[in-house]
Amino acid sequence: MAEDADRQFMALALAEARQGMADGGLPIGAVLVRNGKVVASGHNQRVQHGDPIAHGEMDCLRKAGRQRSYRDTVLYTTLSPCMMCSGTILQFGIPRVVIGEAENFEGDIPFLRGRGIDVTLMDDEGCKEVMRHFLAQPGNLELWHEDIAED
């Protein structure tokens, strides 16, 4: 049952990632869920908004608006979260994170797990493929390096 829900919500996050890429940005999507219901979804919008912190997870959380607590939520993200997004997950006390893939970007899974966050890595082919496709396009590798602050 939980695996079915994880696949369902990851499919929504992947749709967000594809939307981000269609809009000219990076293909990283996220969905915040509480009690089996979507609270918010979003995708990386750094390029679209010229906002250096508009990562997929941050966009999703911004769209969720003020929440009394995040301690009963699950965050689904197509790509392993960076340190900024991992810090936000920890700050808000999100207890579980489901990650689509960590092949194209390792992210900070050990950081999250080391601080008691329940991390599920799905190793999802759709999530891997959308990022591979993006990185293969001319100019996108430079855009990706900008996103993760890598020279």
Side-chain angles (χ1 to χ4, degrees):
M1 179 73 172
E3 285 182 27
D4 290 342
D6 286 352
R7 280 192 289 279
Q8 172 193 351
F9 294 123
M10 189 56 68
L12 295 175
L14 184 54
E16 283 283 347
R18 288 184 174 126
Q19 184 62 54
M21 188 164 60
D23 292 345
L26 287 92
I28 304 161
V31 175
L32 184 68
V33 174
R34 174 181 285 122
N35 299 323
K37 293 186 171 64
V38 174
V39 175
S41 62
H43 53 268
N44 186 300
Q45 296 206 44
R46 289 183 66 257
V47 173
Q48 298 91 318
H49 294 293
D51 181 349
I53 63 169
H55 286 198
E57 300 90 341
M58 302 301 248
D59 183 56
C60 177
L61 292 169
R62 187 174 284 135
K63 287 176 178 172
R66 290 178 58 197
Q67 299 289 313
R68 186 163 198 260
S69 175
Y70 294 86
R71 296 192 189 285
D72 58 347
T73 62
V74 178
L75 183 66
Y76 292 81
T77 179
T78 57
L79 189 65
S80 184
C82 70
M83 183 52 80
M84 176 180 67
C85 294
S86 294
T88 302
I89 290 163
L90 186 64
Q91 174 71 31
F92 288 164
I94 297 171
R96 182 169 185 247
V97 178
V98 180
I99 299 168
E101 67 110 340
E103 182 178 292
N104 287 293
F105 181 66
E106 199 172 284
D108 288 292
I109 294 172
F111 172 83
L112 291 169
R113 285 184 174 148
R115 281 149 184 87
I117 307 296
D118 177 10
V119 176
T120 300
L121 178 57
M122 293 183 71
D123 201 30
D124 182 85
E125 273 307 314
C127 293
K128 288 186 215 179
E129 182 52 38
V130 73
M131 196 65 188
R132 278 190 213 117
H133 176 75
F134 171 80
L135 292 172
Q137 302 307 307
N140 284 353
L141 188 58
E142 291 81 13
L143 191 59
W144 171 240
H145 286 169
E146 177 188 321
D147 191 70
I148 59 173
E150 190 174 279
D151 293 329

